[in-house]
Amino acid sequence: MADKESQGSARQTAKELFAGSVGGIVQVLTGQPFDIVKVRLQTQPKENPVYKGMLDCVTKISKEEGFLAFYKGTLVPLIGIGACVSVQFGALAAAKRFLTNKENTPLSPVQLYLAGSTSGVANSVLSGPIEHVRTRLQVQTSTTGANSYKGPWDFVRKVYGTYGIAGIYKGQAITVLREFQGYGAYFLTYEWLVQETVRRLGKKSRKEVPVSLQCGYGAFAGYALWLTVYPIDSIKSKLQTDAFDLSKKAYKSALDCARITFKADGLAGFYRGFGACMLRAGPVNAATFVAYETTMNMIGR
């Protein structure tokens, strides 16, 4: 009996991981152009900024670097974010099962937040280095400079060879903080809305929730995530694109980065690229959740 339960649990986990991978691939393909604009605006200097705003950034990238520049650094996230989102949904489902009581009572908002935060922390093990690679490649405008990288593997080879695993995981502490809060808010929003819809409309299960509502709930979840963590994400981007050598670093720590940013630009310094991020948040996360739910319905929950 125990073996059958174990096999059933393993099959369920495999399904959740697979569906999460599909959602992750959809997320990257729909969101990468928005993300590169966000990162470029977040990390440009205050003195003599390269871009005047979001539209200027889009125009210049397209004109000077070509359309494919919007997909710089896509290979790593296409593989990696698929794995990340897979881990997110797998860890979320495992946490929800752990928190569910014998009576199968719907989880409370606090429990949903904790389940989401757990998935975020699990995800950070992969998302930290993957986003570091992507961010470095997104901000460079040439691959021929002394400190440039030809691609993700060239980056990993050079950075790991010089700075070891710590170099690959640069900015990891602030990444864990962002993932804990962000995915707590993200999955709390989506799961609570789905849970309430099932209860309010008298549905038998989440399979019966219309795709239109899944889209809307996914978009709301994306907004909830970024509204609560954008300043943290801005600090993360600055830290991950800062120099590796101690003598050349602009920031000593995340707190030092926050202090310097606030002193130089006020609160606005934490919200560069916010417009591009919020434009991305709705459609990208709507697509992610619809891809996940559709895949789970197709392969059997």
Side-chain angles (χ1 to χ4, degrees):
M1 187 71 169
D3 287 342
K4 288 184 178 180
E5 289 182 359
S6 178
Q7 290 174 1
S9 178
R11 280 197 297 270
Q12 183 64 24
T13 299
K15 289 178 181 180
E16 289 155 357
L17 292 173
F18 175 72
S21 296
V22 174
I25 291 170
V26 169
Q27 184 178 107
V28 172
L29 293 177
T30 55
Q32 184 75 353
F34 294 98
D35 196 65
I36 192 171
V37 173
K38 172 182 77 74
V39 171
R40 290 279 182 98
L41 292 174
Q42 281 180 331
T43 57
Q44 70 174 345
K46 181 185 179 183
E47 300 297 330
N48 301 315
V50 179
Y51 311 109
K52 297 176 183 178
M54 180 172 63
L55 291 178
D56 185 51
C57 182
V58 171
T59 301
K60 285 183 176 176
I61 291 174
S62 180
K63 184 178 179 180
E64 297 171 7
E65 302 173 55
F67 175 76
L68 291 179
F70 290 104
Y71 284 89
K72 277 185 177 179
T74 300
L75 179 59
V76 169
L78 192 59
I79 298 170
I81 299 301
C84 284
V85 178
S86 175
V87 169
Q88 287 169 24
F89 281 102
L92 174 75
K96 285 168 60 181
R97 284 193 289 271
F98 177 78
L99 292 170
T100 300
N101 59 28
K102 293 180 180 179
E103 288 74 33
N104 207 31
T105 305
L107 297 180
S108 69
V110 171
Q111 289 173 316
L112 291 173
Y113 176 83
L114 289 175
S117 297
T118 299
S119 78
V121 172
N123 171 58
S124 69
V125 177
L126 294 175
S127 67
I130 288 168
E131 291 196 14
H132 183 202
V133 175
R134 179 170 65 173
T135 300
R136 288 277 180 177
L137 294 178
Q138 285 176 333
V139 298
Q140 73 175 20
T141 57
S142 171
T143 59
T144 57
N147 296 317
S148 296
Y149 307 101
K150 296 176 183 178
W153 312 123
D154 185 50
F155 172 87
V156 171
R157 180 179 61 82
K158 288 179 178 178
V159 173
Y160 182 78
T162 306
Y163 303 101
I165 195 69
I168 299 296
Y169 274 89
K170 185 175 173 62
Q172 184 65 12
I174 195 74
T175 299
V176 173
L177 176 61
R178 186 197 67 172
E179 305 293 64
F180 182 91
Q181 166 55 31
Y183 285 101
Y186 185 66
F187 284 117
L188 162 61
T189 301
Y190 183 80
E191 292 292 327
W192 184 82
L193 287 170
V194 168
Q195 196 170 272
E196 283 299 294
T197 299
V198 170
R199 181 190 63 80
R200 183 169 50 83
L201 299 182
K203 303 292 186 182
K204 293 181 180 178
S205 72
R206 64 192 297 146
K207 288 177 63 175
E208 298 180 19
V209 175
V211 171
S212 59
L213 291 182
Q214 292 173 7
C215 278
Y217 297 164
F220 289 145
Y223 295 137
L225 188 159
W226 288 109
L227 283 169
T228 59
V229 302
Y230 196 82
I232 299 173
D233 183 72
S234 187
I235 293 171
K236 181 194 76 73
S237 293
K238 290 175 183 289
L239 291 176
Q240 289 187 328
T241 54
D242 196 11
F244 286 101
D245 295 331
L246 289 174
S247 61
K248 298 178 181 178
K249 278 188 173 183
Y251 313 109
K252 298 176 183 177
S253 65
L255 288 176
D256 186 52
C257 179
R259 181 184 62 79
I260 291 173
T261 300
F262 184 76
K263 184 177 180 180
D265 302 319
L267 284 175
F270 297 100
Y271 286 92
R272 288 180 181 173
F274 185 67
C277 179
M278 296 309 285
L279 279 176
R280 172 189 182 278
V284 167
N285 289 290
T288 300
F289 277 104
V290 169
Y292 173 80
E293 297 284 7
T294 301
T295 303
M296 284 297 293
N297 290 341
M298 290 175 64
I299 62 179
R301 292 180 180 273

